[in-house]
Amino acid sequence: MNPPFAASCVPDMIGRAAMHAPDAIAVEAQGSSANYAALEARVGMLAARLRAQGVAVGDLVAVCLPRSIDQIVAMLAAWRAGAAYLPLDPAWPESRLATLIADAGCAAVVAHSGLGARIAGDVALVPPAGGDGAAMVAPATADPNSLAYVIYTSGSTGTPKAVEVTHANLAALIDWHQAAFAVGTGTRTSHLAGLGFDAAAWEIWPTLAAGGTLALVDDATRLDAARLRDWLIAERIDVAFAPTALAEPLVAMAWPADAALRVLLTGADKLTVRPAPGLPFAFVNNYGPTESTVVATSGVVAPDGEGLPSIGLPIAGTSIHLLDEQGASVPAGEPGEIWISGAQVARGYRGDPALTADRFVEHPEHGRLYRTGDLGVLLDSGEIGFRGRVDGQVKIRGHRIEPAEVAAALNKLPEVATCAVVARDGALIAYVVPADGAAPTASALRAALAGTLPDYMVPARFATLAALPLTANGKVDAKSLPDPETCAMEEAPAGRAPASPTEKRLLDIVAGVIGRQDIGVDDDFFLLGGHSLLGTQVVVRARDAFGVDLTLFHLFEGRTVASLAVVIEDLVIAKLDSMSDEDISRMAAG
């Protein structure tokens, strides 16, 4: 394995990799691939079309494409044109996509024409393919202090925050990653993180900057732990990232001793398990907010140990400070707020100098710090234990969420007079005071929010209150909010009961997994608080109940009991069609 290429910025590193080995495969995606020479050619053509649409050095280009070679090309093309990129997930509500594009001040949007036309507004729309193959553009010189990308996170003010990450920030992440995990020419890395999740940058750029191969997984596989394990083995992946909800079942599974996987990285949620003994790869837990360029601490998780796994040690070039409210260091063993300094601390929040000044501060002893709002403790091992949040910010399905942003969206609805949104047991709960004369249902509020918020930000439960409990100083008294079951909002007057034995049996399974009996066959599993781990339970129980090869992707596609029942019945019919008369007779005989 050759050592990684040394250069100051990622576009330079990738250019050197292409010059060194133009025929090496850069990206693989579901049966198609592009070598480094072809990748560079496609990047040059798209960059020329961006320039022709007026994209200039210092601009921002939104990239709203599904996981594909086109998506990788588009992000690189933004850099080639001298701009930064804003990654957007096409699965998000169109109104949210349009709002983010306008809010960020994008100069262009790279998207397919249908969706692109609906979200671009007055911004130039550039399709990912097309144009004159001879049209190329010389690479813009990347300035380490210029922006590499912008990523939105949930905001406490009710609006998302746009974090600005520079080329220098990203290069520091890559330098550490390549050295820590021996990533170089020929290394095969998977790409399965969410398209608007900053972990995607962690998967993509260290690999391509080193001349390795990036393998893109399909959505059906990336959402199913068993299928993902089989894919990682079959594709001979060396280094992979999986969000906590997927990584936890992966490290409990059996793996062949000759698996190529050397490192399985995880992060996003609090890790609650340790790996099974004898796995052929290192299992590495990581912590870091978007504002510190994906990763701030990292540590190998041992199969044995007391308590929850730690979040490891600060990575190279990064320092962690555990401070009290006055900015003084706390004693070892005492919880303190995690403040981060070092080369990966981002520039700040786009278009919000006041919030930037509040969160990115000059400390008299430690210099420029980002205050995370997370609590940590220095353990006897020297590693850091994660202890939750200082404020009300929470993690839901791996995404950092400000409940205030969800509350702000709810308060815009005419049926809502006021509300409070809190997190309990890993789910969002909305306490709603209805407007005069209004009688909102939970399903109607979910549907309204789903038009503006990603599904992971839609509350799982809704409760109705005559008034919100307040503290003496007029703030919502979160501790006095009642058990939502005691004041649960009506789900939907038209909540449909099961119409077939399949729907009845499947509804019982889903209700048992969710822990609720007030659901109908048309209710969205994920808007009820379902996530991939609970979905895995539904799939396993349904496989046993119906004897079919159901997958988590079927649940993500169908989302409701009614839709999933149709899939199950089709699978049963297909299974029967493939069986002989003797097989059917034996099955009927029990």
Side-chain angles (χ1 to χ4, degrees):
M1 179 179 293
N2 295 330
F5 300 96
S8 58
C9 298
V10 181
D12 303 329
M13 300 179 197
I14 296 173
R16 293 189 183 190
M19 292 177 62
H20 178 79
D23 296 328
I25 299 299
V27 187
E28 295 176 347
Q30 293 90 59
S32 61
S33 64
N35 62 25
Y36 276 87
L39 184 71
E40 284 285 288
R42 289 175 61 175
V43 167
M45 288 186 285
L46 180 54
R49 291 191 287 118
L50 289 172
R51 286 273 185 87
Q53 290 292 333
V55 173
V57 173
D59 282 342
L60 183 63
V61 174
V63 176
C64 190
L65 294 169
R67 193 182 317 276
S68 59
I69 297 175
D70 280 346
Q71 186 216 18
I72 307 298
V73 167
M75 293 186 290
L76 278 169
W79 284 345
R80 176 71 64 89
Y85 71 85
L86 168 66
L88 299 172
D89 190 333
W92 292 347
E94 292 179 5
S95 61
R96 184 176 181 85
L97 293 171
T99 297
L100 297 184
I101 290 167
D103 179 73
C106 294
V109 178
V110 181
H112 293 301
S113 56
L115 174 63
R118 297 191 295 273
I119 64 175
D122 296 330
V123 179
L125 174 61
V126 181
D132 183 0
M136 299 285 283
V137 64
T141 301
D143 177 355
N145 295 317
S146 64
L147 283 185
Y149 63 80
V150 172
I151 285 189
Y152 275 90
T153 66
S154 185
S156 60
T157 60
T159 57
K161 301 176 294 186
V163 180
E164 295 187 324
V165 175
T166 69
H167 279 286
N169 296 148
L170 183 57
L173 172 73
I174 288 172
D175 286 346
W176 163 75
H177 178 92
Q178 291 177 342
F181 306 116
V183 174
T185 303
T187 298
R188 293 178 59 79
T189 300
S190 60
H191 170 31
L192 61 89
L195 300 179
F197 186 22
D198 62 348
W202 186 24
E203 295 174 312
I204 296 167
W205 303 127
T207 303
L208 296 182
T213 298
L214 186 73
L216 279 55
V217 69
D218 63 276
D219 282 339
T221 300
R222 81 180 188 90
L223 299 173
D224 187 308
R227 293 180 64 168
L228 178 59
R229 175 201 56 184
D230 295 344
W231 181 85
L232 292 169
I233 293 169
E235 294 296 320
R236 306 292 295 170
I237 300 300
D238 297 299
V239 178
F241 166 82
T244 312
L246 271 175
E248 291 189 338
L250 281 174
V251 297
M253 294 177 179
W255 288 73
D258 62 349
L261 189 66
R262 297 185 288 103
V263 180
L264 177 63
L265 304 163
T266 193
D269 282 319
K270 183 186 291 186
L271 184 64
T272 61
V273 306
R274 293 180 179 273
L279 292 178
F281 54 82
F283 183 45
V284 183
N285 193 26
N286 303 271
Y287 160 83
T290 301
E291 290 86 347
S292 67
T293 318
V294 190
V295 184
T297 69
S298 182
V300 175
V301 182
D304 54 357
E306 296 294 328
L308 294 176
S310 77
I311 57 174
L313 298 168
I315 68 172
T318 293
S319 296
I320 298 294
H321 311 273
L322 301 178
L323 308 180
D324 61 20
E325 293 182 357
Q326 288 72 45
S329 297
V330 299
E334 294 293 325
E337 183 177 356
I338 299 174
W339 298 49
I340 304 174
S341 65
Q344 290 177 216
V345 175
R347 177 187 290 180
Y349 298 112
R350 188 173 184 83
D352 197 336
L355 185 60
T356 298
D358 181 62
R359 306 305 296 180
F360 296 83
V361 302
E362 284 293 333
H363 190 276
E365 181 181 353
H366 306 300
R368 186 170 185 263
L369 303 180
Y370 170 67
R371 53 183 309 176
T372 66
D374 292 328
L375 287 172
V377 61
L378 184 63
L379 305 175
D380 291 341
S381 64
E383 297 181 331
I384 298 168
F386 183 76
R387 295 294 184 266
R389 290 289 302 173
V390 174
D391 53 26
Q393 196 178 74
V394 296
K395 281 284 190 75
I396 301 292
R397 288 160 52 191
H399 298 270
R400 194 175 62 175
I401 291 173
E402 289 280 5
E405 183 179 353
V406 182
L410 262 175
N411 283 328
K412 292 178 182 178
L413 302 180
E415 306 96 320
V416 177
T418 188
C419 70
V421 178
V422 298
R424 290 185 178 176
D425 299 324
L428 287 179
I429 313 296
Y431 292 86
V432 175
V433 178
D436 288 344
T441 63
S443 59
L445 294 181
R446 282 195 196 94
L449 291 177
T452 59
L453 299 177
D455 58 5
Y456 58 82
M457 293 181 68
V458 177
R461 296 173 184 262
F462 289 81
T464 303
L465 296 178
L468 295 176
L470 302 178
T471 63
N473 61 7
K475 294 184 178 181
V476 174
D477 185 359
K479 294 181 179 179
S480 297
L481 290 169
D483 181 341
E485 292 298 324
T486 65
C487 51
M489 183 179 290
E490 183 182 7
E491 274 297 319
R496 186 166 68 82
S500 71
T502 303
E503 287 187 348
K504 173 65 171 65
R505 195 169 186 184
L506 188 57
L507 182 63
D508 289 342
I509 291 172
V510 171
V513 170
I514 291 286
R516 300 176 58 171
Q517 300 303 314
D518 59 340
I519 61 175
V521 297
D522 296 317
D523 289 328
D524 189 308
F525 173 79
F526 296 100
L527 296 186
L528 292 170
H531 48 72
S532 57
L533 284 179
L534 293 179
T536 299
Q537 295 181 38
V538 170
V539 168
V540 169
R541 295 184 190 184
R543 284 173 181 167
D544 292 341
F546 298 101
V548 294
D549 188 20
L550 196 69
T551 71
L552 193 56
F553 184 65
H554 289 130
L555 179 58
F556 273 87
E557 286 266 284
R559 305 182 74 90
T560 68
V561 166
S563 297
L564 201 59
V566 173
V567 172
I568 289 172
E569 289 171 352
D570 288 343
L571 290 172
V572 170
I573 291 172
K575 183 177 181 178
L576 291 173
D577 287 343
S578 68
M579 296 172 67
S580 66
D581 292 340
E582 292 79 5
D583 290 335
I584 294 175
S585 297
R586 282 195 297 270
M587 184 175 69

